[in-house]
Amino acid sequence: MSTLITGGNRGIGLAMARVLSARGNHVIAVCRQPSAELQGLPLQIEAGVDVTDSSTLVALDERLGDSTIDTLILNAGVLSREGLAELDEAAFTRIHRQFETNTLGPLRVVAALQHRLSPAAKIAIITSRMGSISDNTSGGYYGYRASKAAVNAVGKSLAEDLRPRGIAVFLLHPGFVRTDMTGGNGDVTAAQAATNLIARIDQLGMAESGSFWHANGEALNW
């Protein structure tokens, strides 16, 4: 079983790489710069890959040779906090970066690697409950919320386009996870989130393709 994870050098991506490699999966961890923790794991590291730069994805595809991918986990993401009172040009630059990474990044990866997906492969897009429009009762976080809502739409379209090939696509919220991205705040550790996310990926199939789930098994509203 071959699993490719973007953003595999830290946080949730690193934790998933650790769990999957321990259970015997061939893990390809994709990142811009490998961490010491990642380098200590028995897996394949593909560094120098930026999901916002298609040329690095073309180079990745070339390096993968004849490899196939059974599970594609699109985890790379960024977060910044924009409130209505702080929407200056710098804020709009950060918002743009979030769209490039959180929304277009997963789509670029699928576009570059779709020919490597095995029959009955699975794609897991690590999104966020903050991308749920119906769940937004506190406002703010303009770039993050909007980029995650947009990647949910991307994931739904991918599910429909890949359905004839038997490839399932899921939108997965990991929970409020204690990572560098959240400043160490959260309800669960990266290891707990990784275990829950992998359980959902294992459980879900074509019948659930295109749907939005909490890592704890709760179906989420758009």
Side-chain angles (χ1 to χ4, degrees):
M1 181 70 69
S2 176
T3 303
L4 188 146
I5 306 174
T6 64
N9 58 328
R10 61 177 186 166
I12 298 169
L14 175 64
M16 286 191 289
R18 182 178 288 115
V19 171
L20 290 167
S21 61
R23 78 177 192 181
N25 287 42
H26 174 65
V27 176
I28 305 168
V30 172
C31 57
R32 288 182 296 174
Q33 294 288 338
S35 61
E37 293 89 345
L38 180 62
Q39 291 174 318
L41 296 178
L43 45 71
Q44 178 179 344
I45 298 172
E46 293 294 343
V49 180
D50 184 338
V51 299
T52 71
D53 183 345
S54 293
S55 67
T56 70
L57 294 169
V58 169
L60 169 65
D61 183 45
E62 292 172 351
R63 293 199 301 272
L64 290 177
D66 59 358
S67 298
T68 59
I69 299 168
D70 300 305
T71 306
L72 177 59
I73 302 177
L74 301 170
N75 167 75
V78 295
L79 176 151
S80 61
R81 299 165 175 82
E82 297 84 28
L84 184 58
E86 300 90 33
L87 292 179
D88 56 13
E89 277 308 306
F92 281 106
T93 297
R94 294 193 301 272
I95 290 170
H96 184 269
R97 177 171 176 257
Q98 288 172 94
F99 270 94
E100 284 288 347
T101 306
N102 299 344
T103 306
L104 298 181
L107 188 57
R108 287 181 190 275
V109 174
V110 174
L113 303 181
Q114 59 180 310
H115 66 102
R116 297 187 175 278
L117 295 170
S118 63
K122 295 181 179 183
I123 298 175
I125 299 176
I126 309 305
T127 180
S128 174
R129 193 172 196 161
M130 290 181 72
S132 168
I133 294 171
S134 61
D135 192 60
N136 182 357
T137 60
S138 58
Y141 290 87
Y142 284 93
Y144 193 72
R145 288 188 188 279
S147 65
K148 290 298 188 178
V151 82
N152 288 350
V154 165
K156 175 61 175 172
S157 286
L158 287 172
E160 298 309 318
D161 289 339
L162 293 170
R163 192 177 300 277
R165 292 177 57 186
I167 295 171
V169 182
F170 316 112
L171 292 307
L172 301 179
H173 167 60
F176 185 23
V177 187
R178 294 194 290 273
T179 64
D180 291 342
M181 180 182 285
T182 62
N185 299 308
D187 301 325
V188 295
T189 65
Q192 290 168 328
T195 298
N196 290 340
L197 288 166
I198 291 166
R200 297 288 76 71
I201 296 167
D202 288 344
Q203 173 194 18
L204 299 171
M206 283 303 301
E208 296 81 25
S209 188
S211 55
F212 186 18
W213 295 85
H214 194 298
N216 66 12
E218 174 190 358
L220 297 176
N221 294 322
W222 302 111

